[in-house]
Amino acid sequence: MAKNKTTETEVDVFNFIESYVDNNQKKADSHKLIELMSEWSGFEPKMWGPTIIGFGSYHYKYASGHEGDAPLLGFSPRKTQFSLYVYSKTEKSDTLLKDLGKFKMGKACIYFKKLTDLNIPIVEKLSIETITYLNEHHECACRN
């Protein structure tokens, strides 16, 4: 089995933002996302791999036998746009996307340029829906 590249690291999240993010708006948006996702998830930010800021974790195992850990919620302030990891493939999530704002959708990733492009209450609902989904389907740090 190949080793997962995206694992939790000991890199300081705030040092990462200061050294990696190259414009003040993206830095401010990153700090705001940290504040919001910490509140929504109940977890402090941790670095996952070299560029993902994640909150909490869950354990997944595919039918193929491949397994690993991933953050419950997360984002990455990539050079051209943000990658937002708050989506689970549920009917409710798909309905919420209609009111999310200006974004592009990857397989399970939401891409956007700046936080003001998104409807923050919808991001919160997507985040909560994802935590609920992961709690129901995986071994999850979100269980009380």
Side-chain angles (χ1 to χ4, degrees):
M1 279 289 166
K3 187 177 184 310
N4 291 339
K5 293 178 187 172
T6 306
T7 58
E8 190 175 318
T9 73
E10 294 300 317
V11 173
D12 182 84
V13 169
F14 299 100
N15 287 343
F16 162 74
I17 291 169
E18 289 307 310
S19 64
Y20 181 79
V21 178
D22 60 3
N23 77 58
N24 289 335
Q25 182 60 55
K26 193 170 277 190
K27 283 181 184 179
D29 287 352
S30 295
H31 288 287
K32 184 64 177 177
L33 279 169
I34 288 171
E35 177 188 324
L36 293 169
M37 290 183 155
S38 293
E39 179 185 326
W40 300 335
S41 71
F43 293 98
E44 293 300 312
K46 300 278 185 176
M47 290 302 301
W48 284 75
T51 62
I52 295 174
I53 299 169
F55 302 81
S57 66
Y58 70 97
H59 187 78
Y60 61 86
K61 186 171 185 177
Y62 297 133
S64 67
H66 177 79
E67 62 183 298
D69 296 304
L72 291 170
L73 303 176
F75 73 94
S76 181
R78 304 213 190 266
K79 295 292 182 189
T80 57
Q81 58 192 346
F82 281 90
S83 298
L84 189 61
Y85 307 101
V86 298
Y87 175 79
S88 57
K89 184 71 176 146
T90 67
E91 190 175 318
K92 182 175 182 179
S93 291
D94 288 341
T95 300
L96 288 168
L97 287 178
K98 295 173 186 165
D99 295 319
L100 181 58
K102 186 177 174 182
F103 71 97
K104 290 183 181 174
M105 190 74 201
K107 186 174 181 180
C109 182
I110 296 165
Y111 300 103
F112 67 97
K113 298 257 185 219
K114 56 189 185 295
L115 203 49
T116 55
D117 287 340
L118 301 181
N119 181 338
I120 299 302
I122 298 297
V123 177
E124 179 180 15
K125 289 176 183 176
L126 282 167
S127 297
I128 291 167
E129 174 68 6
T130 293
I131 291 170
T132 300
Y133 175 85
L134 294 173
N135 188 32
E136 291 170 357
H137 293 89
H138 299 280
E139 296 172 28
C140 181
C142 54
R143 291 193 179 131
N144 294 327

